[in-house]
Structure formats: structure tokens, C-alpha cells
Amino acid sequence: MMSDRRCIEKSAPIRNENFSRDIENVPETGCLSIIVLGASGDLAKKKTFPALFNLYRQGFLQPNEVHIFGYARTKISDEELRWCICGYLAPGRGASAEHSEGVLEFLQLIKYVCGSYDTEEGFRSLEKIISEHEVAKNSAEGSSRRLFYLALPPSVYPSVCKMIKDCCTNKSDLGGWTRIVVEKPFGKDLASAEELSSQIGELFDEAQIYRIDHYLGKELVQNLLVLRFANRFFLPLWNRDNIDNVQIVFREDFGTEGRGGYFDEYGIIRDIIQNHLLQVLCLVAMEKPVSLKSEHIRDEKVKVLQSVVPIKDEEVVLGQYEGYTDDSTVPDNSNTPTLATMILRIHNERWEGVPFILKAGKALNSRKAEIRVQFKDVPGDIFR
């Protein structure tokens, strides 16, 4: 988050100063196309499509106005993609007839386009299919909406964004828009994150770019602000006088499972700790924002990160599970960590002296994501 702010300041200036205001004031009448790039990948199947299905079930995506397009290099048909996704949408045994019917209806909204990420041919085909859908829905030119979700490694973001800009951009003068959603990890370090922001910022206005972390969609994480700032019980206790330590834990009971090539490029620290767990840490530790507006919450998160002191080597433990290099996509001599534990210390009035212990690991003996707040012992404790 700290680097994101700097990235935004350095990115290309917004070329249309009225862009955000136009989006808010012009009624959205055209159809909506959601394009999932990397549709055959693990992230899309396990996270993106199930999230879209939940939005569909809750009525936020209307079948008469939305269509979903999958795009990837894998040569499969519409039905094969739907079959791959289906297993992640159904809750299993005991599924209601209504749910099963909803799954079938949702899957019929999905079409698939095969193409590469760095040539125009595939994106021209994608543009053609999207346009045909918009015409079929009687959307006036410039009124339809296009949302591109990049479920892809950051290394291909620049080439994909350039192809989208050159081939698939929608006009915005009649209430339509084109937006880009990019997932974590956003670069490998500050320099690569700034470079990515600069490259994407040259193609799209800042208001069109959404950098997201899907961990913020977890119910526990969404409830943190309410727990902290609308609770008279916890409000006066949430400080170094009462809390001994805070543990933020992410555990998985499975390994890379075919994602070794991707994971080995980033490791558990970049993949989990520097985005997911840091986001949670910020929500646990930040001061009350002025309002619930995203920029006010972001500002308080940045203050927390600016207060974190450098991590000491002796307060970090790294490990790799046995059998990690058996994955054919992982180099035999890889030393990429699959487990990491580290202590972060926040140098401010509220948290001075309270260790924040971040733990993340794969192929462990249990699966959980939790925040454990350990309060100090009661003075004169009679229950030794």
C-alpha cells in the first residue's frame, strides 16, 4: 500500500479531468461485459468465477444485461470451460434445486475465446465477440460497459493492457466505460511495482485502474472496521496497555498443486504476506478513518505501514515443505520459501512494544485464516 501511493503519484496524469464525474453522472444504460483474462487458470476458477456467481445469485448481475467472456491461451471450448468452473460453484451434496438451476443459468452466460496475450489476433476476435453481444443487446455505441479482470501473472500486465487499449477499448461518451482490474502481487518490489503502474498508467486513466486484493472480500476482514470502530467494548482496550501480541495466520493443508511455476517466482512472502496479511494488519492496527471512503481508509493504512520499523533477521523464520521440488514446474535447486513467520513492530503511540506476528505456509497440517489478539494477563491473577 505504501508503494501504491507513490506509484499513483508517479503515474501518467489523468488525461480526462472529468472522467470520474462523467462516470457518476451519466446513467449506465448499456449492457455489461465482464472479461476474465487467464480464464483457464487457478485464480479464475477458484476465486473469480465463484465470486461472479455469488454476485449473480444475489441479483447484482442481471442475466438480461451481463455477459461473461473467458480469455486464455488454452485451447478449449465454451463447454469445457464451463465444466472446469462448475465444480467450484456447486456446494456439493444436498445442493438445492434452486442453486443447481442458478449454476446452469450462470454458466450459460459464459463464452470462451482462445488467444495469446501479446498479439492482436486473439484480442481482435475477443473484440468481435463482445461487439456482437452488445449489438444483440441493443446497446448504443459508446454506452456499453467493459470490465477486464486480469487473473494473470504481473509479468504480462503491460502487454495485455496494450492489447486491450488497442483492440478492445469502449468509448465512454454515452455512459459506457472500460475498466481494468489487476490482482496482487503487483510487482516483485517497489521498483517493479512503480514500473508496472507507469506502464499501465500510460494506457489508461487512473480512475479506470483497480488494484485489488481478494482477501479484503473475506467476511472476517470486512467486519474488522465494525468490530473496531463501532464497539464500545473493544474501542478502549485496543492498544498496547491491554494487548500483549497480535497473530495473523494463514495456513493451507495443500501444496502448489500444479502452480509451482507461478509460485516459485514469488514465494510465500510476496504471494501472501506482503499483500494479504499486510492488508489485515493495517485494518487491525490503523486509527479510525475520517469516513468509510476508500481514500480515507487508504490514508490510515499508509500511516500504519510508515510506522513499521525494519524487520530484524533474527525475528524471521523461513522454510520449505518436503516434496516442493517434486513439482515438475519447480527447479530442483529452488530455495523459494513455502513457509514464513516474522515479527513486525509498529512504532507509534498505540502499538509501541506490541509484536505483530505474521505466519503463512503451505502443505501444513491444517487449513485456517485467523487473527488472534492476545490480551495481557489480569494483574493479580488468581487463576494461575
Side-chain angles (χ1 to χ4, degrees):
M1 288 299 299
M2 187 157 44
S3 63
D4 279 355
R5 191 176 187 186
R6 292 180 59 186
C7 294
I8 292 171
E9 290 170 353
K10 290 188 176 185
S11 63
I14 296 177
R15 291 177 288 278
N16 181 359
E17 296 177 356
N18 297 320
F19 183 85
S20 298
R21 186 170 66 251
D22 290 345
I23 288 177
E24 294 174 1
N25 294 339
V26 178
E28 296 181 345
T29 57
C31 65
L32 171 64
S33 297
I34 299 175
I35 302 95
V36 180
L37 296 112
S40 61
D42 206 53
L43 174 62
K45 290 185 292 188
K46 291 183 178 179
K47 300 291 184 182
T48 312
F49 284 113
L52 292 174
F53 176 61
N54 286 331
L55 291 174
Y56 174 77
R57 287 190 66 201
Q58 295 171 49
F60 293 108
L61 298 178
Q62 296 296 327
N64 61 334
E65 70 171 23
V66 68
H67 213 81
I68 300 170
F69 301 89
Y71 184 92
R73 291 177 296 199
T74 309
K75 294 182 178 180
I76 55 176
S77 65
D78 293 351
E79 286 302 322
E80 287 173 317
L81 177 63
R82 292 166 185 164
W83 176 253
C84 291
I85 297 168
C86 183
Y88 296 100
L89 305 183
R93 289 184 178 180
S96 66
E98 182 182 356
H99 180 94
S100 299
E101 184 179 347
V103 169
L104 294 175
E105 292 173 352
F106 174 76
L107 292 175
Q108 292 308 308
L109 298 177
I110 300 174
K111 288 186 178 295
Y112 181 74
V113 180
C114 176
S116 67
Y117 297 127
D118 55 1
T119 59
E120 291 190 2
E121 184 180 359
F123 284 90
R124 293 292 181 194
S125 299
L126 178 62
E127 160 67 21
K128 183 174 182 290
I129 292 176
I130 296 172
S131 297
E132 288 173 353
H133 163 67
E134 292 170 350
V135 171
K137 293 293 183 180
N138 298 317
S139 289
E141 185 179 2
S143 69
S144 54
R145 297 160 286 161
R146 299 181 178 183
L147 177 68
F148 292 86
Y149 187 101
L150 276 60
L152 297 166
S155 57
V156 301
Y157 286 174
S159 62
V160 168
C161 287
K162 186 177 188 309
M163 292 297 108
I164 293 171
K165 178 69 174 179
D166 293 345
C167 306
C168 303
T169 311
N170 184 37
K171 297 177 183 178
S172 59
D173 54 350
L174 293 178
W177 43 253
T178 301
R179 295 176 185 171
I180 308 295
V181 179
V182 293
E183 266 275 16
K184 63 83 200 173
F186 196 73
K188 292 185 176 181
D189 50 28
L190 178 60
S192 59
E194 288 182 337
E195 183 179 4
L196 272 177
S197 272
S198 177
Q199 291 171 330
I200 298 175
E202 290 174 0
L203 299 167
F204 298 98
D205 295 317
E206 187 61 40
Q208 295 176 276
I209 305 168
Y210 290 74
R211 303 170 183 83
I212 72 164
D213 186 332
H214 61 252
Y215 225 66
L216 295 177
K218 285 186 174 291
E219 187 176 6
L220 169 66
V221 177
Q222 290 185 326
N223 287 339
L224 269 175
L225 292 182
V226 177
L227 176 73
R228 287 204 51 203
F229 302 122
N231 190 314
R232 291 188 65 86
F233 182 76
F234 283 119
L235 199 60
L237 302 178
W238 213 257
N239 54 52
R240 64 190 181 93
D241 296 329
N242 301 286
I243 293 177
D244 182 76
N245 66 79
V246 178
Q247 297 184 43
I248 302 173
V249 181
F250 172 92
R251 298 168 63 96
E252 287 183 331
D253 56 1
F254 55 89
T256 53
E257 295 189 347
R259 295 178 65 239
Y262 165 80
F263 181 85
D264 196 70
E265 190 178 352
Y266 294 96
I268 198 73
I269 296 175
R270 292 190 181 105
D271 192 42
I272 301 298
I273 290 180
Q274 68 93 21
N275 39 75
H276 292 337
L277 299 196
L278 276 188
Q279 289 280 5
V280 175
L281 177 142
C282 288
L283 291 172
V284 170
M286 74 184 195
E287 300 300 320
K288 182 187 290 187
V290 175
S291 75
L292 291 177
K293 289 184 177 180
S294 58
E295 59 268 26
H296 292 154
I297 295 174
R298 177 205 61 201
D299 290 345
E300 294 303 330
K301 287 181 178 180
V302 169
K303 290 177 185 177
V304 172
L305 293 175
Q306 289 173 332
S307 300
V308 175
V309 301
I311 301 170
K312 299 178 181 178
D313 290 346
E314 60 268 25
E315 294 186 331
V316 177
V317 175
L318 302 177
Q320 184 185 94
Y321 69 82
E322 187 176 357
Y324 170 69
T325 55
D326 293 343
D327 188 324
S328 60
T329 60
V330 174
D332 293 337
N333 60 347
S334 172
N335 62 356
T336 299
T338 64
L339 176 141
T341 298
M342 60 187 65
I343 299 175
L344 271 63
R345 302 183 185 276
I346 300 174
H347 180 59
N348 63 20
E349 185 177 8
R350 182 181 293 273
W351 297 114
E352 186 73 45
V354 179
F356 283 75
I357 305 165
L358 275 54
K359 302 178 180 180
K362 287 183 170 293
L364 299 174
N365 59 0
S366 64
R367 182 178 184 180
K368 68 171 64 174
E370 69 176 13
I371 305 164
R372 186 178 303 172
V373 180
Q374 179 70 48
F375 284 87
K376 291 183 176 180
D377 292 337
V378 176
D381 183 15
I382 62 173
F383 304 102
R384 297 183 181 275

